[in-house]
Amino acid sequence: MTEPGSIDDIQHMLAQEGYVCGRALATALFLSLRLGRPLFLEGEPGTGKTEIAKALATALGRRLIRLQCYEGLDASSAVYEWNFAAQMIALRAAEAGGNANATALTDHLFTEQFLIARPLLQAMRPQPGGPPVLLIDEVDRTDAPFEAFLLEALSDFQVTIPELGTIKAPQPPIVILTSNRTREVHDALKRRCLYAWVDYPDFDREAEILTARAPGIAQTLSREVVAFVQALRTEDLFKKPGVAETIDWAKCLLALDTVALSPQVVADTLGALLKYQDDIARMQGSEAARILERARSALPAA
């Protein structure tokens, strides 16, 4: 599929993949595609930052290459590594065959045949269907040295392998970085990107998302679910439920053939919404009933 020609096209294209995108986020994504700039998405966990990369890759018919970040991630793990087992087998086979040319053997061992490409290197190479979507997920989990390494990759869309030289992407990949803001990412990295804050959606958009992602849910129950989750987010919780948890909870309620929310149903299924025992314990008993009553009283007119 060709790249969308307008912001409305972005919203329509993503909606076809079940992703309901607000105007501000669609604008940032459109400009990222049009200008060839990485897009840095920051926001609370579960607000759809990772999903937008998946939906975009599917909509464009491009390969999704995901680099899941973690503490201690280094350049070699993100770019490439050598297949040492295969190199050892080749070395022993050469020795058994009487190959005494050490220089030629060394040159042979550090070739593409023994190279294992990791996400960043894969993204720099041509892919069927066009440049891939490179998702650098939860970049805030890494450290400053890895951020510094990313500066070259995102500025020039190239990576360097000492044994092979510099590999530059013939066409830049579509790059999306996400951060849950567990720490501040350095300004130098952000400056190389367009930026968008991905917030919790308002009532209408979250209801629309729920309809798209849990199509079997009745409208009445859907509105109750969204109202309850949005009321729950105003409570003093260790981890507020994101949109992903709203969808999971709705699917659980569908599996239980729930017609309407009740304090008992809420208490029985809180594990789909809340992921910390202290939060679940706080919502037991009369708290669930109180929040449910407050959510129902705040329901906007249908």
Side-chain angles (χ1 to χ4, degrees), residues 144-260:
F146 185 75
E147 282 187 33
F149 163 74
L150 281 179
L151 296 180
E152 177 193 8
L154 298 185
S155 295
D156 303 320
F157 294 106
Q158 64 183 32
V159 292
T160 300
I161 300 174
E163 298 86 352
L164 297 179
T166 298
I167 298 174
K168 186 176 179 64
Q171 291 181 285
I174 299 167
V175 182
I176 295 178
L177 302 93
T178 73
S179 168
N180 292 331
R181 211 176 186 184
T182 57
R183 69 169 180 86
E184 285 295 332
V185 175
H186 198 279
D187 286 345
L189 182 58
K190 285 187 174 181
R191 282 198 304 269
R192 285 159 173 78
C193 308
L194 298 178
Y195 177 87
W197 174 263
V198 185
D199 207 348
Y200 296 117
D202 60 21
F203 181 90
D204 289 337
R205 192 157 71 87
E206 191 158 11
E208 190 178 351
I209 291 169
L210 199 55
T211 299
R213 301 304 294 270
I217 192 168
Q219 183 182 13
T220 303
L221 179 59
S222 173
R223 288 167 53 79
E224 281 194 340
V225 165
V226 172
F228 183 87
V229 173
Q230 296 209 341
L232 195 59
R233 289 185 189 132
T234 66
E235 298 293 315
D236 183 19
L237 299 173
F238 183 77
K239 167 66 173 67
K240 292 177 171 57
V243 180
E245 283 75 32
T246 306
I247 295 167
D248 285 345
W249 190 38
K251 290 179 178 178
C252 290
L253 295 174
L254 281 174
L256 293 172
D257 296 322
T258 303
V259 176

Side-chain angles (χ1 to χ4, degrees), residues 17-61:
E17 302 303 328
Y19 191 97
V20 180
C21 186
R23 181 79 181 181
L25 181 55
T27 301
L29 184 55
F30 173 75
L31 291 173
S32 173
L33 294 174
R34 179 59 60 91
L35 301 176
R37 294 278 300 280
L39 178 60
F40 190 100
L41 301 178
E42 198 166 41
E44 296 293 334
T47 51
K49 301 182 298 296
T50 299
E51 288 301 314
I52 196 169
K54 296 179 180 178
L56 180 64
T58 303
L60 293 176

Side-chain angles (χ1 to χ4, degrees), residues 68-72 137-143 180 182-183:
Q68 180 62 54
C69 298
Y70 54 87
E71 186 177 352
D137 210 12
E138 298 183 333
V139 70
D140 54 316
R141 292 182 178 271
T142 62
D143 51 22
N180 292 331
T182 57
R183 69 169 180 86

